[in-house]
Amino acid sequence: MGFAVPTAPAMNAPIETTAAAPPADAADCSRVPYTRYTDPALYGRELERIFYGRHWSYVALECELPEPGDYKTTWVGERAVIVVRDADGSINVVENHCAHRGVRFCRQPYGHAKDFVCPYHQWNYDLKGNLIGLPFRRGVKRIEDGAVRIDGGMPADFRLQDHGLTRLAVARRNGLVFASFDPSVEPLEDYIGPEVLPWVDRVFDGRALTLLGFSRQRIPGNWKLMQENIKDPYHPGLLHTWFVTFGLWRADQRSQMVLDAHGRHAVMVSRRNEGGGGAVTRGVTSFREDMTLHDPRLLDVVPEPWWGGPSVTMITLFPSLIIQQQVNSLSTRHIVPRGPGAFDFVWTHFGFADDAPEMTERRLRQANLFGPAGFVSADDGEVIEMSQQGLGQHPGAFTVSRLGGTGVGPTDHMVTETLIRGMHAYWQRVMGE
Amino acid sequence: MSRLAADGTNRGLRVGPELREAVAALYADYAAALDEARYDDWVALFTDDCRYLLQPRENHDRGLPLATLSFEGRGMLRDRVYGITRTLFHAPYYQRHVIGPLRIVSRGPEGLGVHAHYAVFRTRVHEPSEVLNVGRYLDTVVVDPQDGLARFALKRAVFDSEMIPNSLIYPI
């Protein structure tokens, strides 16, 4: 049995769950050629159609940019962008290369600026990316042999407004900031869809956020393997000792798999149990019957009122964002592709402005489970690297994702690979493969 | 915290040879215990109510509290040891610490402030050695008057490395 769809605090009636319609070609998605993870030409088309196409990419939490002029540099696909808060409080996202000679001019990871100046020839841009000035535009006046002459300068038809920074479409929702290179992209709420949006809003309901810090790792694997890892409820209770032993995620729990109508986004929802031995631990080599913590504060879980039942919700927003609620630990995880065989994985941990100091401490302690050294998550990076190695050595082979059949649709259990199939069904439609 | 010398430069504190020797031995034992995978010995180099922090420089410089690893007390260190030896799945590797000269920067009731640079190399099976993590230790060391041994009350490794090469399993 599934969970009630979360509702916004002001709403009384629960939202009806809309079942995602299985895509017509879903049957093909239980087999994926290894080359889908390794082919450089295919990867180039992915950047164009997915990362620079009609999709929203995560770029920031608003709490990273509290004041006008605050900026950060980040990435949409492989393109460097600047995210900056404007004087009126709005947020602009512009591409980080000068319109003059292409220089990636903004080099600080974050900072505060009144405007942006490329150091090469001092072309000067405002916080919206408009070109507002450049040296010697009208030439250089000097007097030679008693006569005034103007040397050089831009042609008379040179217009500043033709030479701004590339400006991206921006969408914000309750502290999350997304950007898109394609201005024809649908509104963010429609993009996320009515099935997944309530789960995003459950974490980001408009409360002020507190930034706790970042973790950054480079994982030598294709970017889709990270999406699949968080669309794969099969592995956590098998790979991760902590999850199966302490009952944080395992197959005998009440759980629910949610997809949007396209199959591109998903939510894995579950509620922890007491752990211990049972039908789902027999023969599971990662299970440790006798394991107890020397310091139980590492898992000092305190349920929060906004959970409304689930103790874990792992949200994948195509193509580049994972939103983690795992007990009291909260993070966004940003996937930045780096060629077909690698991606950067940037974790932003956060809490809420009204957290008591003890809750902040708890979130920070539980962060030991996650990130590049986490008791749980370090395993995921390692296994993705090993996947990429195996996928690269046999171009003619196919992966198998047939747990729970070959179709795509929501389930009220976790013994399924339906979410992985859903993403590949969508991928195939976008890529025309 | 360090001393402003007559020439206007910041200099470390001068302490007696016996104390300096006790501190130097702690760092040598620390590197040896980790690199030889003697993790119970590693735990014994900390005080009972120690703090261990492995933190990206980015967070440290911005005053953000998130650490890559954050442990309070020997119990949590033992839990990490259990994770390393029994639960974490990873490609096997050797680890090698190179720790630079120690700089004693303060002396107070909480102990000695000790700074040192470090580099940690990783060698995976069938692979050449590579840099895993580079940074500095900003530690607090106490010397037990009973046994004369130095231990870490605070071990804080702040790393420059902007990207962790996939994962980090053993302590730094």
Side-chain angles (χ1 to χ4, degrees):
Chain A
M1 180 182 162
F3 296 96
V5 175
T7 56
M11 302 176 73
N12 295 320
I15 300 166
E16 286 297 313
T17 306
T18 316
D25 53 358
D28 298 327
C29 300
S30 64
R31 293 173 85 245
V32 168
Y34 281 13
T35 50
R36 192 172 291 181
Y37 303 90
T38 58
D39 179 2
L42 184 62
Y43 171 74
R45 293 199 296 279
E46 283 182 323
L47 287 178
E48 290 300 327
R49 294 187 192 178
I50 294 173
F51 289 93
Y52 312 143
R54 296 182 74 243
H55 296 94
W56 286 107
S57 289
Y58 169 81
V59 290
L61 292 178
E62 288 205 36
C63 64
E64 296 177 72
L65 316 159
E67 301 297 329
D70 287 350
Y71 71 85
K72 69 174 273 193
T73 48
T74 183
W75 308 85
V76 172
E78 291 203 13
R79 291 178 180 166
V81 299
I82 307 167
V83 185
V84 59
R85 192 177 290 275
D86 210 338
D88 63 359
S90 63
I91 289 178
N92 305 321
V93 180
V94 294
E95 205 173 347
N96 187 2
H97 72 86
C98 182
H100 179 214
R101 302 286 307 220
V103 173
R104 184 177 293 169
F105 58 90
C106 187
R107 307 305 300 193
Q108 294 298 327
Y110 67 97
H112 186 86
K114 288 190 177 65
D115 54 15
F116 295 111
V117 181
C118 176
Y120 200 1
H121 303 89
Q122 299 187 20
W123 283 36
N124 185 213
Y125 303 92
D126 68 14
L127 299 182
K128 292 180 172 60
N130 299 310
L131 180 63
I132 51 179
L134 57 103
F136 312 144
R137 182 182 171 199
R138 313 259 179 231
V140 174
K141 185 161 90 175
R142 65 189 174 90
I143 296 169
E144 193 173 276
D145 300 331
V148 174
R149 51 179 284 176
I150 306 279
D151 291 343
M154 287 295 181
D157 63 353
F158 183 90
R159 301 179 344 137
L160 293 177
Q161 58 264 44
D162 295 338
H163 299 278
L165 302 175
T166 311
R167 194 164 172 185
L168 284 74
V170 177
R172 300 153 68 182
R173 189 169 177 89
N174 294 339
L176 290 162
V177 188
F178 296 83
S180 176
F181 276 99
D182 190 335
S184 73
V185 63
E186 65 199 299
L188 178 69
E189 288 72 15
D190 297 343
Y191 178 74
I192 297 174
E195 300 85 0
V196 173
L197 190 62
W199 296 100
V200 176
D201 287 349
R202 173 178 165 276
V203 179
F204 297 96
D205 67 356
R207 288 170 290 178
L209 305 181
T210 304
L211 182 64
L212 297 180
F214 304 94
S215 281
R216 298 174 193 270
Q217 62 190 130
R218 181 161 293 172
I219 300 179
N222 183 267
W223 65 275
K224 294 188 291 299
L225 293 172
M226 192 68 250
Q227 283 280 351
E228 292 173 15
N229 180 264
I230 308 296
K231 292 176 185 288
D232 167 13
Y234 185 22
H235 85 276
L238 300 171
L239 175 65
H240 304 310
T241 295
W242 279 58
F243 278 2
V244 61
T245 302
F246 299 131
L248 292 171
W249 183 280
R250 48 190 250 173
D252 56 358
Q253 288 167 2
R254 184 178 164 190
S255 60
Q256 189 175 343
M257 302 299 119
V258 180
L259 302 90
D260 75 315
H262 300 277
R264 58 191 174 186
H265 315 305
V267 195
M268 306 198 300
V269 186
S270 191
R271 184 177 199 155
R272 70 197 176 110
N273 64 16
E274 293 307 308
V280 298
T281 66
R282 273 196 285 280
V284 174
T285 57
S286 57
F287 178 66
R288 301 276 180 271
E289 180 91 62
D290 56 347
M291 180 177 173
T292 54
L293 291 175
H294 292 95
D295 194 327
R297 287 180 297 175
L298 283 169
L299 261 184
D300 166 32
V301 176
V302 170
E304 300 175 56
W306 60 272
W307 290 5
S311 61
V312 47
T313 56
M314 298 298 298
I315 304 170
T316 39
L317 294 185
F318 193 82
S320 59
L321 179 63
I322 292 156
I323 299 169
Q324 164 209 329
Q325 179 230 333
Q326 182 44 279
V327 286
N328 300 114
S329 179
L330 301 164
S331 73
T332 60
R333 310 177 186 176
H334 180 192
I335 301 167
V336 182
R338 299 282 183 206
F343 64 92
D344 291 347
F345 205 32
V346 181
W347 304 61
T348 307
H349 284 252
F350 61 91
F352 301 110
D354 60 0
D355 283 344
E358 298 76 25
M359 182 55 82
T360 301
E361 282 300 307
R362 187 174 291 114
R363 297 197 201 286
L364 291 168
R365 263 189 218 114
Q366 291 179 19
N368 281 302
L369 275 66
F370 307 103
F375 281 115
V376 174
S377 301
D379 294 344
D380 288 320
E382 288 286 309
V383 95
I384 285 173
E385 181 172 359
M386 296 177 202
S387 295
Q388 189 72 18
Q389 289 168 347
L391 295 165
Q393 73 182 42
H394 217 303
F398 290 78
T399 65
V400 178
S401 300
R402 298 191 60 184
L403 196 69
T406 56
V408 174
T411 65
D412 60 359
H413 62 83
M414 61 170 78
V415 195
T416 179
E417 291 172 305
T418 186
L419 306 182
I420 294 176
R421 293 190 292 270
M423 184 184 78
H424 281 281
Y426 179 71
W427 185 95
Q428 288 173 193
R429 288 196 297 281
V430 172
M431 297 296 296
E433 295 281 333
Chain B
M1 289 292 270
S2 51
R3 207 172 45 145
L4 198 64
D7 66 358
T9 57
N10 280 304
R11 308 296 292 264
L13 298 184
R14 268 175 290 180
V15 298
E18 205 170 320
L19 183 54
R20 180 165 282 280
E21 160 61 22
V23 174
L26 174 64
Y27 282 80
D29 289 342
Y30 185 89
L34 284 180
D35 295 349
E36 293 164 20
R38 292 183 283 103
Y39 299 115
D40 292 337
D41 291 351
W42 173 69
V43 174
L45 299 175
F46 290 84
T47 62
D48 287 338
D49 58 350
C50 63
R51 284 283 279 138
Y52 174 92
L53 284 165
L54 173 65
Q55 197 178 31
R57 179 175 183 153
E58 172 182 23
N59 293 347
H60 181 262
D61 288 356
R62 292 178 72 164
L64 297 171
L66 182 74
T68 309
L69 290 172
S70 172
F71 302 131
E72 299 150 84
R74 278 184 172 179
M76 285 194 198
L77 299 185
R78 289 196 186 94
D79 287 324
R80 184 65 186 182
V81 171
Y82 190 88
I84 291 166
T85 54
R86 297 286 309 278
T87 79
L88 275 163
F89 177 72
H90 63 94
Y93 68 95
Y94 304 121
Q95 173 169 280
R96 191 68 57 196
H97 282 70
V98 178
I99 300 174
L102 306 180
R103 190 160 174 263
I104 298 174
V105 298
S106 65
R107 188 173 192 175
E110 73 289 345
L112 296 170
V114 183
H115 293 183
H117 299 163
Y118 70 83
V120 180
F121 300 90
R122 177 174 78 178
T123 307
R124 285 175 158 177
V125 177
H126 304 313
E127 296 292 333
S129 300
E130 59 191 337
V131 176
L132 175 64
N133 196 263
V134 171
R136 60 199 160 128
Y137 291 125
L138 307 173
D139 302 339
T140 304
V141 172
V142 294
V143 179
D144 187 331
Q146 302 287 324
D147 57 16
L149 293 174
R151 292 185 180 82
F152 291 110
L154 166 66
K155 184 82 190 164
R156 176 163 54 194
V158 177
F159 56 91
D160 297 339
S161 312
E162 289 270 318
M163 283 288 161
I164 290 174
N166 199 345
S167 72
L168 210 152
I169 306 297
Y170 309 124
I172 295 294

